[in-house]
Amino acid sequence: MNARPTRILGIDTSCDDTGVGVAELTPDGRVRVLANRVWSQTVHARYGGVLPELASREHVERIDAVTGDALAEAGLTGAEVDVVAATSGPGLVGALLVGLMYGKGLAQALGVPFYAAHHLEGHIFAAASEAELAPPYLALVVSGGHTHLFDVPREGEYVLVGATRDDAAGEAFDKIARLAGLGYPGGPAISEAARRGDPEAVPFKEPLAGQKGFDFSFSGLKTAALLAHRAGAKPEDLAAGFERAAVNFLLKTTLRAAQAYGRDTVVVSGGVAANRALREAFAASPVRAVFPGQGLNTDNGAMIALAGAAALRAGRPPSPLSEGAVAYAPLAGA
Ligand code: KG4
Ligand code: ZN
């Protein structure tokens, strides 16, 4: 490795955010985020969900400018980039293809190695911005599309410990926010409204109470919210009750898994990891909880640069340029 840090440019266009970030890996193996720029698409709001075709077109229109902004923020020219990484899956194939092709083209033009990155590995490595991630640890990925709990016994090895049986955690925040008329995206809206509400006003039962495994489920909380809403519950009370139930459920299940697997460190990442109540609950728990830094919870390119840095550090070979985009790409065979 060279004496100066290796600069990795990371790209994520897996859904409706055009994310480009830059990280550096020092010769002694430490990582640092130099830039993180995200263009969040707003065109989908009027349709109430992400339209794949529109997402791809917006990525095409924005990617060059977002890349330029990220390089400027890092204080680098394109020629100073040593490695390019881009998400190849899972995600919307048309959207993924934009960042993947752009990344491959950039790597070719600069004559540098290219790494295809897994979106969930990106979410996990986002926490490397805050602390050295040394296995073994547990990783809870809670986003709009995923609620997965992994055991990471060794670098690059993932064992699926539990997953949601229905909605993802973020999806439940979004749906309940919409139901209660609190707006989009639902996570921050619920969090804000919850501060004004009474968490005792609407009863929410613990999901999957008594299970031996480590799965998640949010459909029961969603139904409880719907019934309470129809019965005239206040939006802020719904928000407070749901947030508390969801946080307690995520925490309790993860702590049981940490004990079962003998892990004392838990990485909590993905969009829902931005939630303040969740952060406070984990911080007060017996495990060492590591969260991504600001701006690195929801989808972004810096986390992909950090995943690229981890691949480099682990000595993984670069990806072939034939690597394609994949909608469904399990990280641990499930
Ligand atoms: O990681 P992300 O950007 O996208 C996926 O890969 O799915 O996560 C987006 C999700 C949304 O469902 C959003 O409501 C949720 O993360 N979210 C939050 C908060 N901020 C974002 N959920 C709870 N509390 C928050 N503060
Ligand atoms: Zn994500």
Side-chain angles (χ1 to χ4, degrees):
M1 204 177 284
N2 358 334
R4 74 161 175 82
T6 305
R7 277 85 175 241
I8 306 114
L9 182 120
I11 302 169
D12 185 86
T13 59
S14 60
C15 193
D16 57 345
D17 294 313
T18 311
V20 182
V22 182
E24 67 174 19
L25 173 65
T26 62
D28 61 353
R30 279 172 306 158
V31 292
R32 194 160 69 96
V33 172
L34 302 181
N36 187 27
R37 302 298 291 229
V38 178
W39 164 258
S40 294
Q41 303 179 0
T42 51
V43 292
H44 308 285
R46 76 183 89 128
Y47 303 102
V50 177
L51 260 68
E53 290 300 318
L54 276 183
S56 309
R57 196 166 359 145
E58 284 250 327
H59 286 311
V60 170
E61 283 169 9
R62 294 285 171 172
I63 187 122
D64 222 23
V66 180
T67 303
D69 289 349
L71 285 171
E73 187 179 322
L76 300 175
T77 64
E80 289 169 310
V81 170
D82 303 304
V83 175
V84 178
T87 307
S88 59
L92 302 170
V93 169
L96 284 165
L97 275 171
V98 177
L100 187 63
M101 294 305 157
Y102 187 89
K104 285 179 187 175
L106 189 61
Q108 277 285 81
L110 298 173
V112 301
F114 172 77
Y115 282 84
H118 193 285
H119 185 73
L120 295 190
E121 247 190 327
H123 273 304
I124 295 170
F125 281 107
S129 67
E130 299 306 291
E132 169 73 24
L133 293 189
Y137 57 82
L138 280 190
L140 174 67
V141 183
V142 272
S143 70
H146 298 90
T147 302
H148 283 66
L149 183 58
F150 297 103
D151 182 39
V152 188
R154 275 170 290 278
E155 183 80 49
E157 206 178 308
Y158 301 92
V159 179
L160 187 70
V161 169
T164 184
R165 295 185 186 173
D166 39 61
D167 286 357
E171 204 179 343
F173 273 87
D174 293 337
K175 285 182 180 165
I176 292 175
R178 183 150 66 170
L179 169 82
L182 292 170
Y184 185 89
I190 293 260
S191 195
E192 205 276 314
R195 287 203 255 166
R196 293 178 275 113
D198 172 9
E200 306 283 345
V202 180
F204 282 94
K205 273 203 262 139
E206 182 188 329
L208 306 179
Q211 69 159 329
K212 294 276 175 290
F214 309 102
D215 278 345
F216 301 95
S217 167
F218 293 93
S219 60
L221 297 180
K222 218 172 56 184
T223 307
L226 178 66
L227 294 177
H229 172 70
R230 286 192 186 146
K234 286 195 219 146
E236 58 271 29
D237 291 344
L238 268 185
F242 164 71
E243 182 177 62
R244 188 155 88 174
V247 165
N248 284 345
F249 175 47
L250 289 168
L251 178 72
K252 191 171 163 185
T253 309
T254 307
L255 290 185
R256 277 197 304 109
Q259 191 154 45
Y261 282 76
R263 307 298 186 219
D264 52 18
T265 299
V266 178
V267 170
V268 186
S269 61
V272 181
N275 185 273
R276 221 177 49 173
L278 184 72
R279 285 180 171 239
E280 286 169 3
F282 268 97
S285 81
V287 294
R288 173 178 167 256
V290 186
F291 288 85
Q294 219 198 349
L296 296 174
N297 297 292
T298 47
D299 290 349
N300 66 86
M303 71 186 198
I304 300 304
L306 289 168
L312 274 179
R313 200 166 68 164
R316 284 195 223 168
S319 308
L321 291 179
S322 56
E323 182 109 10
V326 273
Y328 177 68
L331 187 55

